Amino acid sequence: MKKIFLLLVSVVSVCLLSCKEKSAGELVVYGSCDEAYVAAVCKKFEESTGIHTTYNRLSTGEVLTKIEQEDGEPSADVWFGGTTDPYNEAALHGFLLPYAAKNAKHLVGPEFKDADNNWYGIYRGILGFFWNRDELRKRNLEPPKDWDDLLKPEYKGLISFANPNTAGTGKLIVNTLVQLRGEDAAMKYFSELDKNVCAYTKSGSSPSKRVPTGEVAIGIGFLHDVVYQIVDNGYDNIGMTSPASGTSYEIGATAIFRGCKNLNSAKKFIEFALSPDCVNIAQKNGAYQFLVIDNAAPVNAAVRAGLDTISTMAYNFEDAKVNGPKYYAEFFEAISVDDRIEK
């Protein structure tokens, strides 16, 4: 009888433990920054909370398309990483759920959150140029110093940057030139630049991966991606700069999808994403963007690379949110639509 009682106690304990594990909840993440960082964040969150966490790595453009198709019934709960221009488009269409995060008090400035709490900033990255020194030396070419340099005929077929339809980096490039030059002048610029472009990549970080290997000679993208190639992959053949006449920056964001299945878990994730436990592991996983909460650790690799000395323009996020889709459509009217555009 005693053995039966002990067996029953054991079975009940196992059941209670199982119920407790299940009650911790689940979470599905769409991650739009580098996969190593997304994976590390999800692992850390699961270890910290007991919430079973899975992720799907998609570019910001892919996420935006996916949630538009899902129309209020998202297959993920939260979005993590990637530039805010697609987040703002999603917010404009009501696909994000406002949440008043307690840890937002640690943000270093009001620009690092949406005014209506649709998204919160987790990092800041600077847009610039980078090039393969060996490839330019072989061609006896000087590296670009400003936006107009990229139009030089000798750069024909040497330049790559992201497709605005699939990557937030591409959207930021379009919006940056519109804000620097005006709408009509920007489209004329892109029409000229198109003559020198070898690929409009699906991912914003792709040019930074192709430049070191010589597949592409010159890239436009985020300079922290170049730091990764130098620090983590050991490439010493890359030069980089910010455009002399002005450049912009991304705010990498995080948000909850409206209609998500695991809302409580999603809220816990947002608080985690705005904590040192989350952002401090970025630079341990090849992500060297500047962090935007006041209790985060300095990103030493970015500082050593001099990224902290670069001034950026006052980027108009509201114009990008409202008018961005019109600019992207005009961009594709200005360039030659062919197989250089990766989808």
Side-chain angles (χ1 to χ4, degrees):
M1 191 71 179
K2 185 177 180 181
K3 289 182 178 179
I4 294 173
F5 175 75
L6 291 174
L7 179 61
L8 287 172
V9 169
S10 177
V11 170
V12 170
S13 297
V14 169
C15 289
L16 287 173
L17 179 61
S18 176
C19 290
K20 184 178 180 180
E21 288 175 348
K22 288 181 180 178
S23 69
E26 296 184 355
L27 185 78
V28 180
V29 180
Y30 283 158
S32 295
C33 48
D34 283 344
E35 186 158 2
Y37 183 31
V38 176
V41 165
C42 292
K43 180 181 178 183
K44 180 75 172 179
F45 179 70
E46 183 171 305
E47 291 173 348
S48 301
T49 63
I51 294 170
H52 178 61
T53 306
T54 57
Y55 73 89
N56 190 1
R57 202 285 167 194
L58 298 167
S59 69
T60 49
E62 290 176 309
V63 173
L64 186 58
T65 298
K66 195 168 180 60
I67 61 170
E68 285 173 347
Q69 293 170 345
E70 291 173 338
D71 194 23
E73 296 183 358
S75 52
D77 303 298
V78 295
W79 196 353
F80 182 83
T83 61
T84 48
D85 286 342
Y87 281 76
N88 278 325
E89 286 186 58
L92 195 63
H93 295 293
F95 296 131
L96 303 183
L97 182 70
Y99 169 63
K102 295 176 182 177
N103 281 342
K105 64 187 178 184
H106 290 291
L107 290 169
V108 297
E111 68 271 28
F112 296 110
K113 66 179 287 293
D114 175 67
D116 298 316
N117 296 331
N118 285 295
W119 57 260
Y120 293 97
I122 48 177
Y123 58 75
R124 176 178 179 269
I126 298 171
L127 192 66
F129 310 147
F130 40 92
W131 54 88
N132 184 304
R133 291 195 183 99
D134 300 328
E135 292 298 318
L136 293 192
R137 192 179 299 116
K138 280 192 304 186
R139 295 172 171 83
N140 197 29
L141 296 175
E142 291 294 319
K145 295 183 175 64
D146 208 350
W147 293 104
D148 281 339
D149 291 342
L150 298 178
L151 303 181
K152 293 178 179 179
E154 54 264 42
Y155 287 159
K156 184 175 177 63
L158 301 184
I159 298 172
S160 179
F161 65 94
N163 174 357
N165 274 348
T166 58
T169 309
K171 295 180 190 296
L172 182 68
I173 292 168
V174 171
N175 288 319
T176 297
L177 267 297
V178 168
Q179 293 182 27
L180 282 172
R181 301 186 172 215
E183 188 174 348
D184 292 340
M187 297 311 151
K188 183 178 179 181
Y189 175 85
F190 286 123
S191 179
E192 290 298 310
L193 180 61
D194 182 62
K195 299 172 184 176
N196 291 344
V197 173
C198 60
Y200 296 99
T201 60
K202 181 178 180 180
S203 165
S205 62
S206 185
S208 71
K209 298 171 184 175
R210 300 182 190 187
V211 164
T213 62
E215 182 182 350
V216 170
I218 300 170
I220 309 171
F222 292 117
L223 298 182
H224 58 259
D225 289 331
V226 182
V227 174
Y228 170 77
Q229 295 299 332
I230 296 169
V231 174
D232 287 54
N233 290 338
Y235 286 108
D236 58 3
N237 61 340
I238 318 172
M240 62 178 174
T241 191
S242 61
S245 63
T247 192
S248 63
Y249 64 94
E250 68 163 340
I251 298 175
T254 189
I256 299 173
F257 292 119
R258 186 181 294 276
C260 70
K261 297 178 180 66
N262 301 293
L263 181 56
N264 288 336
S265 297
K267 291 178 179 179
K268 290 178 182 177
F269 182 85
I270 297 299
E271 299 295 350
F272 168 74
L274 295 173
S275 75
D277 286 343
C278 176
V279 298
N280 283 350
I281 64 176
Q283 58 187 310
K284 298 175 183 176
N285 290 275
Y288 298 114
Q289 303 95 323
F290 289 108
L291 304 178
V292 296
I293 58 173
D294 60 17
N295 51 355
V299 183
N300 293 322
V303 173
R304 286 196 299 270
L307 302 192
D308 61 326
T309 66
I310 297 172
S311 298
T312 54
M313 61 189 279
Y315 186 75
N316 189 333
F317 287 94
E318 187 63 23
D319 181 69
K321 176 168 68 174
V322 175
N323 297 311
K326 178 166 71 81
Y327 301 151
Y328 314 143
E330 291 174 355
F331 168 85
F332 284 104
E333 290 174 2
I335 69 169
S336 300
V337 179
D338 53 33
D339 59 3
R340 292 173 302 150
I341 302 172
E342 300 176 4
K343 300 177 181 179

